[in-house]
Amino acid sequence: MGFKTADMPPVDPAQFESMPFMERMRMLATHWAEYGFGSPKSNHMLYIYKLAVYVFGGIAVVGLTTPGLGGFGEFGSWWGEPIVYEKLVVWTVLFEITGWASSSGPLAFKFTPFTGGYRYFSRRNTLRLPPWPGKVPFTAGDHRTAVDTTIYFAILATLGALLIGPGVLTDALPGSEAGLLPQWLLLTYVGLIIVMGLRDRVVFLAARSEQYVAVLFFFGVLSNHVDMVLAAKIAMVSIWVGAGVSKFGHHFTNVVPPMMSNTPWLTPLRFKRALYRDFPNDLRPSKVSWAFAHVGGTVVELVLPFVLLFSTNSTITWLAIAGMIFFHVFITSTFPLAVPLEWNVFFMFATAWIFGGFPAQDGYGVGDISSPWLLVAIVAVFVAFPILGNLRPDLVSFLPSMRQYAGNWASATWAFRGDEAEDKLNKHLVKYNPNQVDQLSGAFGKEIAEIFMQKAMAWRTMHSQGRGLMSLMMRHLDRLENYRIREGEFVCTTLVGWQFGDAHLHNEQTIRAVQQRCAFEPGECIVVWVESQPIHRATQEYKVIDAALGVVERGHWKVADAVNEQPWLPNGPIPHTVTWRNPGYTPAGEHPHPVVRASVSA
């Protein structure tokens, strides 16, 4: 991989599409195992520059707008001031909700322009996805209106006011000259983002509300800064532990090899090959990958957070702080897809600031909370959604379920019968990111663009869901080669302006909205979709959606069957059980037609 040049798979671009589709998947998955996505390292430098803006911009804003801290010349006096934490939460939320943080740039498949976010959220007639359309008053509809843009701008104004305004001296923090952020303004933001979320869950999730809303709420309602700090501690512990629990099972082990293969500074091919059982013949995870996943991942997230929460020994606390900071440094250094880098950097800061600046032995232990009932309430708020989301993942996004990067995701794959079908998304939808293939084609030409688009599909097949999804495609398409098969997250990000790996954002609700605008013919746009695995079941529920017909089939497959197969499915589709099928519908793959290569231009 060069600094300015991509690392291309070993194929003549002009001959690439003459290969059978699953042979392409094998070649691209094998190439990913050694070189990752293969993008130039200059793409990664863009994120380093952006992180520098985030870090130094946040420090500058806090120092310039909070007179009680004493300015940059009294930097040591910032230690132990909760308002520094509050303002950096607000700064992070502002970075996220405008689209400059996660789901931005080339590693989130946004090339031109670099962001979606505010381009969609501030403009009418872009797609809007209410979580319960019609069931909550004033939320019906699937497009953004002046009401939505007004709420969005009100949110930005509230965040701006919190960010640049000075602290308010309060009895909740006696003796501090810096004070705390105005509680009424914090609650104003909480109220606005909840209203926004009822009208459009995309904006709510893009603000990373599962990370920050409850913390800002408790800072807005509590009257004791010890209680506030403990709420922040419990929030962080619940996020880590929820993520650790989510790594139980088969899925997460499959996440680690392709993630580490894509890490720009891990260049030794011998090490990358060791992440797989028998490269290039068997690309299932090796014991090395298992150790990285469950010793370096699961154990760390389940043990160190409780040490931080309960330790009254300064040395042990700081060792745990160092361990968690290193954990987030490593994640950041891998540049994971969807690139939630700012969140990881914020957690590095918050780990030291909250657990080091307000240690348990100095009166900030769990037992120092003002009321045991308050402790119960705080814990209940932070564990309710992870519990519900693991038991009923169909009801909760994987973000509030705390399953980030667990590999256990709702996922989808889209298939368009020919270039003209895919191009309908550009022609008939109000959106500000063209289809990725068009973004790439402008820079590299159509042939190179198509290789990278299909490499994203190969990446998906390296995960458990991808093998199940491709198995469904084999049954429901007449020939894979007749279609443009696309990773669902990359379709999603151009439709709604943001994505983070949650296929709930491009389920049948979104597909209906797209169909109303694009009018696909039956068989022209097929989406195979799978829900996350519930923690107490060994299967995943899937559905097949024809954009013109709606859901045409439901069923499930065993997770063990998916994880035990190779990405290129050499033994054919994995077994799956059909539980319902639309009367009169027959999967096209059960009655294959001759290949029609003219429908997909080379």
Side-chain angles (χ1 to χ4, degrees):
M1 187 191 303
F3 184 76
K4 293 185 177 180
T5 57
D7 198 306
M8 296 297 298
V11 62
D12 180 352
Q15 300 300 316
F16 175 71
E17 293 207 88
S18 66
M19 300 171 60
F21 185 82
M22 293 311 291
E23 286 187 18
R24 296 178 225 161
M25 292 297 101
R26 178 170 188 170
M27 177 189 67
L28 295 174
T30 304
H31 191 262
W32 185 291
E34 291 190 302
Y35 299 101
F37 190 64
S39 59
K41 288 184 179 178
S42 57
N43 285 348
H44 299 85
M45 290 304 300
L46 293 173
Y47 290 94
I48 293 176
Y49 300 147
K50 185 163 68 78
L51 279 179
V53 172
Y54 167 73
V55 171
F56 292 109
I59 294 172
V61 168
V62 172
L64 294 172
T65 64
T66 318
L69 293 176
F72 301 107
E74 300 292 335
F75 198 75
S77 68
W78 295 22
W79 185 252
E81 290 287 356
I83 194 172
V84 176
Y85 170 82
E86 288 183 300
K87 285 209 168 187
L88 290 179
V89 169
V90 173
W91 171 248
T92 305
V93 171
L94 187 61
F95 230 67
E96 296 279 6
I97 201 172
T98 52
W100 287 104
S102 53
S103 188
S104 67
L107 297 184
F109 253 57
K110 291 186 179 74
F111 303 97
T112 52
F114 192 75
T115 60
Y118 72 93
R119 301 175 192 276
Y120 287 70
F121 306 155
S122 65
R123 296 177 182 179
R124 292 181 294 172
N125 295 319
T126 49
L127 287 184
R128 177 173 64 86
L129 303 179
W132 303 288
K135 297 181 180 179
V136 177
F138 310 111
T139 64
D142 59 16
H143 67 282
R144 199 163 272 109
T145 69
V147 172
D148 303 288
T149 58
T150 299
I151 297 171
Y152 180 68
F153 284 121
I155 289 172
L156 297 185
T158 303
L159 291 170
L162 285 164
L163 201 58
I164 65 175
V168 175
L169 300 182
T170 170
D171 292 339
L173 188 60
S176 171
E177 296 182 5
L180 295 169
L181 290 181
Q183 291 185 300
W184 69 271
L185 204 51
L186 290 171
L187 294 178
T188 299
Y189 168 73
V190 172
L192 285 170
I193 196 64
I194 290 174
V195 171
M196 184 81 264
L198 292 173
R199 287 190 59 83
D200 185 6
R201 63 183 186 270
V202 180
V203 182
F204 183 85
L205 293 174
R208 301 306 306 274
S209 298
E210 85 286 353
Q211 303 283 327
Y212 306 118
V213 162
V215 172
L216 293 178
F217 170 78
F218 283 119
F219 271 80
V221 298
L222 297 176
S223 58
N224 181 320
H225 83 281
V226 174
D227 294 341
M228 297 176 186
V229 168
L230 287 172
K233 286 186 174 185
I234 293 168
M236 294 182 69
V237 170
S238 68
I239 291 166
W240 283 319
V241 173
V245 170
S246 73
K247 292 176 175 58
F248 294 168
H250 298 291
H251 300 281
F252 184 61
T253 311
N254 285 269
V255 172
V256 170
M259 181 179 74
M260 296 184 69
S261 290
N262 194 45
T263 301
W265 54 270
L266 277 175
T267 55
L269 295 184
R270 182 176 180 181
F271 173 78
K272 290 185 176 182
R273 291 168 181 167
L275 297 170
Y276 304 89
R277 289 190 189 181
D278 181 23
F279 177 90
N281 302 310
D282 187 346
L283 294 189
R284 291 174 294 179
S286 67
K287 292 180 180 179
V288 174
S289 291
W290 186 93
F292 271 102
H294 295 294
V295 178
T298 310
V299 172
V300 168
E301 288 186 299
L302 291 179
V303 174
L304 292 190
F306 286 112
V307 174
L308 290 172
L309 188 61
F310 294 108
S311 170
T312 57
N313 180 287
S314 178
T315 301
I316 293 175
T317 299
W318 277 103
L319 286 173
I321 289 171
M324 291 311 303
I325 290 176
F326 178 79
F327 175 80
H328 286 285
V329 167
F330 178 78
I331 294 174
T332 303
S333 74
T334 66
F335 291 88
L337 299 186
V339 283
L341 306 184
E342 288 78 8
W343 172 79
N344 277 285
V345 171
F346 175 78
F347 257 56
M348 295 177 210
F349 151 79
T351 301
W353 201 266
I354 294 297
F355 293 97
F358 304 93
Q361 65 267 24
D362 289 353
Y364 297 95
V366 173
D368 297 307
I369 200 164
S370 61
S371 165
W373 292 111
L374 176 59
L375 177 62
V376 170
I378 291 172
V379 171
V381 166
F382 289 118
V383 304
F385 282 109
I387 292 173
L388 178 61
N390 278 286
L391 295 173
R392 287 291 306 273
D394 57 308
L395 299 179
V396 183
S397 164
F398 89 131
L399 291 171
S401 299
M402 302 305 167
R403 290 200 307 276
Q404 303 92 333
Y405 276 86
N408 185 17
W409 310 306
S411 306
T413 299
W414 292 52
F416 300 94
R417 193 175 183 89
D419 293 329
E420 291 184 1
E422 186 176 18
D423 197 46
K424 287 184 177 182
L425 301 180
N426 285 335
K427 292 180 177 178
H428 301 297
L429 286 162
V430 177
K431 61 194 188 81
Y432 294 90
N433 292 119
N435 297 340
Q436 283 93 354
V437 68
D438 300 303
Q439 297 178 44
L440 285 167
S441 295
F444 305 109
K446 183 65 181 291
E447 292 175 342
I448 299 296
E450 194 58 45
I451 290 174
F452 278 111
M453 291 299 296
Q454 295 190 33
K455 196 167 188 183
M457 276 309 309
W459 168 84
R460 177 61 73 186
T461 66
M462 298 175 80
H463 299 79
S464 52
Q465 306 94 331
R467 298 161 199 175
L469 294 172
M470 285 309 306
S471 297
L472 292 173
M473 284 294 186
M474 288 178 172
R475 284 187 50 248
H476 288 269
L477 305 183
D478 50 20
R479 290 289 294 272
L480 299 178
E481 292 79 6
N482 288 348
Y483 284 78
R484 293 297 189 196
I485 299 177
R486 304 302 191 206
E487 162 57 34
E489 289 305 307
F490 296 157
V491 177
C492 176
T493 198
T494 67
L495 296 179
V496 301
W498 187 86
Q499 101 284 359
F500 200 87
D502 184 2
H504 288 188
L505 298 184
H506 46 110
N507 59 11
E508 58 264 46
Q509 177 191 2
T510 309
I511 296 166
R512 279 195 301 269
V514 170
Q515 174 64 13
Q516 289 173 5
R517 292 155 176 81
C518 295
F520 292 108
E521 297 293 329
E524 195 176 15
C525 175
I526 304 292
V527 181
V528 292
W529 198 99
V530 65
E531 184 54 87
S532 306
Q533 178 190 3
I535 198 169
H536 59 296
R537 294 181 182 172
T539 59
Q540 286 184 271
E541 303 287 330
Y542 75 81
K543 49 195 166 190
V544 180
I545 308 162
D546 185 310
L549 304 176
V551 178
V552 294
E553 183 177 291
R554 298 180 188 273
H556 60 261
W557 67 65
K558 294 180 180 179
V559 173
D561 289 335
V563 299
N564 287 329
E565 191 51 86
Q566 297 297 329
W568 55 91
L569 298 174
N571 301 309
I574 67 167
H576 47 274
T577 301
V578 178
T579 57
W580 175 87
R581 183 179 289 170
N582 190 4
Y585 172 80
T586 301
E590 295 182 5
H591 298 284
H593 306 318
V595 64
V596 187
R597 294 194 186 279
S599 65
V600 175
S601 60

